[in-house]
Amino acid sequence: MRTHAQAVVIGGGVIGCSILYHLTKLGWSDVVLLERSELTSGSTWHAAANIHGLHDSTNISRIQHYTMNLYNELEAETGQSCGVFQPGSLYLAQTENREHQLRLQAAKAKLYGMNFYEVDRAEAERLHPLVNYDGIRCIMYEPDGGNVDPSGVTNAYATGARQRGAEIHRFTPATGTEQQPDGSWIVRTDKGDIHTQWVVNAAGLWGREVAAMAGLTLPLQPTEHQYFVTETIAEIAAMDRRLPSVADRDGEYYLRQEGKGLLVGAYEQNMKFWAEDGTPQGFGHELFADDLERIEENMLRAIDRVPAVGTAGIKRVINGPMIWSPDSNVLFGPVPELHNYFCCNGIIPGFSQSGGMGLLAAEWMIEGETKYDMFAWDMARFGAWADKAFTKAKVREVYSHRFAIHFPNEERPAGRPVRVRPVYEMQKTMGAVFGLNYGWEHPLWFADTPGTVDTNGFTRQNWWGPVGEECKMLRERAGIIDISNFAKYVCKGPDAEGWLNSVFANNMPKAIGRSCLTPLIGKRGGIAGDFTVTRLAEDEFWIIGSGMAERYHRRFFGAVPLPEGTTFESVTEAVCGFNVAGPKARDLLQRLTNTSLATVDFPFMRSARIEMAGVDLVALRVSFTGDLGWELHCGEADQKRLYEALLEAGKPLGAGPVGGRALMSLRVEKGYGSWSREYSPEYWPQEVALDRLVKLDKDFLNKAAVAEVMKNPAREQLVLLALDGSDTDASNADATGGEPIFHNGKGVGRVTSGAYGYWVGMSLALGYVKGVAPGAEVEVMVLGKPHRARILSEPPFDPKGEKLRA
Ligand SMILES: Cc1cc2nc3c(=O)[nH]c(=O)nc-3n(C[C@H](O)[C@H](O)[C@H](O)COP(=O)(O)OP(=O)(O)OC[C@H]3O[C@@H](n4cnc5c(N)ncnc54)[C@H](O)[C@@H]3O)c2cc1C
């Protein structure tokens, strides 16, 4: 066994083997995989191993397509059969919402050149004659869908990796992982130690136990999951081809051909957890006792749709464990608090995603960053707040809603609240409807009746009207927005300015009381973050960024060593904030402070420590609403007092509380981008008009990469679009993000954010386009159907920034 390696992968399931294979494919041959038993000994061996290309997230869709195409290549390369069957998949819509979802996906498939299109009933009956299509509103077909042999695929990855020099040690459990002072690792086994640069946790069902060896707690929880296989069905036995699989997600089951019978699996409401206190070390190639009663309702729906399921006897039942994260996406990427420890845990559709997941893991380790923005997978989307109780509640929710549509703007309730601010109860009584942002409860909108919850759908919902009222109040008078969920950091010390200059791309403010906007640059030269940095003293800076990306950004801040005597710490938990904005914001705030807020004394982009309503706070004259406004940041203990004073002072002016959904609409009216939507490492500064904030005459994190990409013309451009459908009819829909954009029938881009601009009376969208200029007429595929839209040459709200500076 090797004693030194570039990477040690722990776990020989389909995921560990794919990572090993892709590491070798991208050039690392000095890599080792450790497997405690035989390869495939976790969830892998008993999987139904269905493969699908399509996903609501575009990047995950791309990854799944890569994976589907890889299996045939892998067979050819290694000579190991992957047991690939690709008879296609039929997707059925029983409801209007499912139809909207499928049509949107078909539009995306057209944009990205993926094979997914509508078929009529006659064609569907020809493709799968055993299905009863009554009550089906629309049918889509994915010709490459199908299934693979789980053990064949895993062994093919292993063979391919070995052929490129990797070592695989079966029956060799990793018994310890110890970080060394130089950042490298020792992985301990009974057969000896391996000194390695990277540790990869791909231990599947035992992901929690392997993480614990490095002192880590991962939010993971296993459940049972069942499918059954029928005896031979005469009609299938008589066919000379294989039937496509059936994705009848409204029926909450999956169904495909297995041998000469059918395989049916279900995600039941009455789900069952397994191994809550840890996965037993001795658990091997084992299954649980059958419990078909638990999935009876799903089975009955499958029988209604495919009557042959009900008449054939059951040949075999598989009830096995799988392990879930709180949102059912993988926990992926290097652990921000550790050096070179890579997690790849909690994968549900392992066979649809194994290839892309292995490729991205190898890219991240070898090239420093993935090509696609994978924040949806990044383990840093959860923090310590995602505790055991939260994880369990969420896993119950995601398991039992596995096939439910995840609507745009939907906020699911399980496991909440986990992180609240002092004003939470007060906001509740004011009718706040809350959303979850990195664990924090934050008001999305204020309903007339406390206890109101969102309705969900693709069209405008119950919040649409009230959010319009909030926007109108702010634009006409003023609004008070709770922004406590923003991430806040303080950098202090004699070298604070120098250190921040070596992290961020823009020049840090020289004068006390000045602020600047600055991008953070990723490994490939893209936008890894956008921040407001304020100099509060000679040696003290406040940095404000995206709350959901707080743990993600740790990786970047940790990459530049802090000079001795200079500190950098998060104050997100300790500090709360409000944005008070609108034409009467100054009148409102001036009633509470003796500091002059007149523009001559307190101009745009200035900041100061002031007293307001008896509370010491940091005031910044900035506003994401695009209107005249201040951000006020105070200690958590003062939050309630400040909020009460702001609301009280606002009353005579007709100002009141405003939620996050209104902020979304207001910032889109102004054309402001936001992190993870418009800004992500996939985009170059010149594509998002942030190039003016990148100062190439100084050194900063990933400067060489950004200097290189900025030599190129923009590949796409961020633009603002006004869509037809600007009337206020509740049955209309606005863009929400992800909708393809076409020009004369040709795909030219996609929406990143959408919102109704209540003040300007336009349905708006921000998006990336190529080859079309402002003024051009395009089509945006809202609900999967073409909506005429025009590319605007300037934001419809305050294009010259006069209100902001007033
Ligand atoms: C009933 C059922 C049906 C499914 N159907 C599908 C489907 O249709 N399509 C689909 O895509 N997915 C399906 N899945 C999910 C799929 O099985 C998983 O996504 C996939 O197998 C996860 O693979 P993994 O490599 O992450 O984990 P695992 O398969 O659990 O592998 C982890 C490996 O790590 C090893 N290990 C653990 N600890 C150590 C240690 N200390 N040292 C060394 N090795 C260690 C284990 O022995 C194991 O071999 C199904 C799952 C179940 C339960």
Side-chain angles (χ1 to χ4, degrees):
M1 190 163 80
R2 279 186 187 139
T3 54
H4 287 73
Q6 285 159 299
V8 172
V9 179
I10 302 174
V14 65
I15 300 300
C17 289
S18 173
I19 294 176
L20 190 77
Y21 169 80
H22 283 93
L23 283 170
T24 61
K25 206 165 174 180
L26 265 58
W28 282 8
S29 53
D30 199 3
V31 287
V32 177
L33 183 142
L34 303 175
E35 166 53 51
R36 59 192 264 282
S37 175
E38 274 293 357
L39 296 180
T40 76
S41 288
S43 289
T44 295
W45 70 275
H46 56 247
N50 302 315
I51 53 170
H52 294 279
L54 219 70
H55 194 281
D56 283 337
S57 147
T58 301
N59 278 350
I60 297 178
S61 230
R62 285 169 164 161
I63 281 157
Q64 295 190 166
H65 274 86
Y66 167 79
T67 306
M68 284 202 309
N69 294 331
L70 180 69
Y71 292 132
N72 288 320
E73 281 174 33
L74 200 59
E75 265 187 9
E77 179 189 330
T78 62
Q80 161 73 50
S81 165
C82 292
V84 186
F85 291 105
Q86 288 180 297
S89 299
L90 286 168
Y91 293 72
L92 313 182
Q94 293 190 36
T95 63
E96 187 181 23
N97 276 329
R98 185 70 67 184
E99 185 178 343
H100 289 328
Q101 184 199 32
L102 292 184
R103 292 204 183 283
L104 179 59
Q105 292 186 338
K108 285 189 192 177
K110 190 173 165 211
L111 175 69
Y112 295 107
M114 296 167 183
N115 223 353
F116 183 87
Y117 51 85
E118 186 169 8
V119 291
D120 61 17
R121 181 168 176 158
E123 174 63 359
E125 279 171 348
R126 191 194 64 74
L127 287 163
H128 203 317
L130 302 188
V131 175
N132 169 7
Y133 295 94
D134 289 352
I136 298 297
R137 300 170 61 104
C138 104
I139 308 163
M140 297 283 172
Y141 183 53
E142 181 177 64
D144 300 328
N147 66 283
V148 291
D149 164 24
S151 132
V153 164
T154 309
N155 280 297
Y157 282 133
T159 305
R162 279 197 198 98
Q163 284 169 352
R164 290 193 171 89
E167 272 185 11
I168 296 180
H169 297 279
R170 293 172 307 134
F171 302 99
T172 312
T175 53
T177 53
E178 289 159 26
Q179 181 112 62
Q180 302 305 296
D182 67 354
S184 64
W185 291 85
I186 300 286
V187 178
R188 304 215 184 271
T189 78
D190 293 347
K191 297 178 185 161
D193 296 345
I194 310 175
H195 186 188
T196 178
Q197 295 309 309
W198 278 93
V199 171
V200 182
N201 178 351
L205 292 174
W206 293 265
R208 292 172 297 176
E209 286 68 28
V210 167
M213 291 178 194
L216 266 180
T217 306
L218 294 179
L220 291 168
Q221 171 60 53
T223 68
E224 294 190 5
H225 177 60
Q226 294 184 86
Y227 64 84
F228 64 88
V229 179
T230 70
E231 299 283 2
T232 296
I233 293 172
E235 292 97 316
I236 297 179
M239 291 188 86
D240 57 0
R241 65 180 172 93
R242 207 173 158 94
L243 290 168
S245 64
V246 179
D248 177 12
R249 291 183 171 163
D250 298 314
E252 293 179 326
Y253 61 87
Y254 53 86
L255 183 149
R256 70 163 168 85
Q257 183 174 338
E258 172 72 11
K260 296 290 173 200
L262 290 170
L263 178 155
V264 182
Y267 290 96
E268 68 279 16
Q269 292 298 315
N270 181 22
M271 51 78 66
K272 197 168 167 194
F273 292 120
W274 179 68
E276 287 179 41
D277 296 321
T279 305
Q281 284 302 331
F283 190 80
H285 270 244
E286 293 167 55
L287 293 173
F288 309 125
D290 311 351
D291 188 2
L292 287 183
E293 233 173 76
R294 233 176 43 232
I295 63 166
E296 195 180 341
E297 284 181 21
N298 312 58
M299 280 171 75
L300 291 174
R301 286 193 290 268
I303 291 168
D304 274 352
R305 188 63 57 207
V306 185
V309 174
T311 48
I314 291 178
K315 184 160 104 186
R316 186 166 83 237
V317 180
I318 301 284
N319 184 8
M322 63 208 309
I323 189 162
W324 300 70
S325 77
D327 62 4
S328 79
N329 273 340
V330 57
L331 301 178
F332 192 71
V335 176
E337 297 77 19
L338 295 175
H339 184 71
N340 287 3
Y341 188 101
F342 200 98
C343 279
C344 197
N345 302 99
I347 302 107
I348 299 308
F351 291 89
S352 293
Q353 298 182 347
S354 70
M357 205 169 271
L359 174 66
L360 295 180
E363 278 179 7
W364 206 333
M365 282 182 267
I366 297 175
E367 297 165 13
E369 196 177 272
T370 53
K371 274 198 201 75
Y372 297 142
D373 166 27
M374 293 313 298
F375 188 74
W377 277 6
D378 195 327
M379 66 160 316
R381 70 190 183 278
F382 295 108
W385 50 268
D387 59 12
K388 211 168 163 176
F390 174 83
T391 304
K392 239 185 101 177
K394 280 289 174 207
V395 169
R396 181 185 292 284
E397 190 179 57
V398 287
Y399 184 99
S400 55
H401 289 77
R402 177 74 185 144
F403 290 147
I405 297 169
H406 208 136
F407 291 105
N409 297 303
E410 184 179 352
E411 298 275 347
R412 292 185 172 169
R416 297 166 54 193
V418 274
R419 296 176 104 187
V420 293
R421 298 294 191 175
V423 298
Y424 173 68
E425 287 300 331
M426 190 178 154
Q427 288 170 331
K428 240 166 103 174
T429 60
M430 288 158 61
V433 180
F434 293 91
L436 193 70
N437 185 306
Y438 196 57
W440 296 110
E441 293 293 333
H442 72 109
L444 297 172
W445 60 287
F446 290 84
D448 285 341
T449 318
T452 304
V453 293
D454 278 338
T455 57
N456 289 306
F458 289 100
T459 52
R460 294 167 181 165
Q461 297 297 307
N462 63 340
W463 51 267
W464 198 85
V467 166
E469 293 302 314
E470 290 174 22
C471 290
K472 204 168 153 225
M473 174 175 68
L474 188 142
R475 289 277 193 244
E476 264 176 17
R477 303 178 299 273
I480 301 153
I481 310 173
D482 189 338
I483 52 164
S484 304
N485 56 329
F486 287 10
K488 286 141 292 190
Y489 314 86
V490 174
C491 186
K492 262 190 187 165
D495 292 320
E497 181 183 351
W499 184 74
L500 291 169
N501 263 322
S502 59
V503 172
F504 292 116
N506 199 355
N507 287 324
M508 294 300 106
K510 284 269 171 225
I512 294 169
R514 299 268 183 164
S515 302
C516 76
L517 302 175
T518 178
L520 178 74
I521 299 295
K523 219 35 199 204
R524 295 179 194 271
I527 306 289
D530 64 310
F531 294 81
T532 308
V533 184
T534 299
R535 187 170 207 148
L536 279 179
E538 195 49 40
D539 61 351
E540 182 181 353
F541 291 79
W542 273 51
I543 300 105
I544 298 177
S546 162
M548 72 199 274
E550 176 149 9
R551 196 172 175 210
Y552 165 88
H553 284 141
R554 273 187 83 135
R555 297 197 188 102
F556 297 85
F557 297 135
V560 183
L562 267 171
E564 202 151 311
T566 295
T567 58
F568 177 79
E569 57 164 355
S570 164
V571 293
T572 306
E573 289 202 7
V575 174
C576 293
F578 297 102
N579 180 198
V580 179
K584 295 199 172 160
R586 180 180 287 118
D587 299 3
L588 190 162
L589 296 177
Q590 196 65 78
R591 291 165 191 228
L592 300 172
T593 182
N594 292 328
T595 306
S596 167
L597 301 178
T599 293
V600 281
D601 302 314
F602 211 132
F604 180 58
M605 290 301 275
R606 293 294 170 84
S607 56
R609 275 204 164 90
I610 63 171
E611 194 190 297
M612 188 172 282
V615 171
D616 290 326
L617 49 80
V618 173
L620 270 71
R621 200 178 145 188
V622 291
S623 178
F624 202 37
T625 61
D627 230 309
L628 167 72
W630 278 261
E631 281 185 7
L632 311 167
H633 298 280
C634 67
E636 204 182 51
D638 292 324
Q639 191 202 20
K640 209 162 167 227
R641 187 169 163 194
L642 180 63
Y643 199 39
E644 281 166 351
L646 293 172
L647 290 169
E648 202 49 42
K651 265 189 205 153
L653 299 169
V658 166
R661 293 233 172 97
L663 183 58
M664 173 81 168
S665 157
L666 299 166
R667 65 108 185 158
V668 172
E669 283 182 342
K670 179 71 183 155
Y672 284 158
S674 101
W675 196 83
S676 98
R677 285 175 170 271
E678 287 72 41
Y679 303 149
S680 97
E682 275 183 34
Y683 305 123
W684 297 342
Q686 66 270 41
E687 294 166 345
V688 294
L690 291 182
D691 42 342
R692 72 199 150 84
L693 304 179
V694 176
K695 306 296 177 200
L696 293 176
D697 55 357
K698 64 160 193 165
D699 272 336
F700 57 88
L701 189 64
N702 300 320
K703 177 189 163 182
V706 78
E708 205 46 44
V709 301
M710 281 173 68
K711 287 181 192 157
N712 302 312
R715 299 159 299 180
E716 303 174 300
Q717 205 71 53
L718 181 61
V719 294
L720 188 57
L721 303 112
L723 279 70
D724 274 6
S726 296
D727 61 273
T728 50
D729 184 345
S731 63
N732 257 342
D734 301 299
T736 56
E739 294 86 354
I741 304 172
F742 290 91
H743 181 59
N744 295 335
K746 190 173 149 243
V748 292
R750 74 215 159 274
V751 170
T752 45
S753 294
Y756 190 78
Y758 299 90
W759 184 249
V760 298
M762 294 173 171
S763 185
L764 296 169
L766 281 162
Y768 282 92
V769 294
K770 60 176 170 235
V772 275
E777 298 270 337
V778 294
E779 287 181 331
V780 178
M781 302 298 280
V782 177
L783 302 179
K785 295 181 202 126
H787 282 55
R788 268 195 341 176
R790 188 167 40 88
I791 302 180
L792 302 178
S793 51
E794 58 180 22
F797 178 75
D798 192 25
K800 303 210 161 36
E802 284 157 358
K803 290 182 195 272
L804 206 57
R805 290 176 176 79

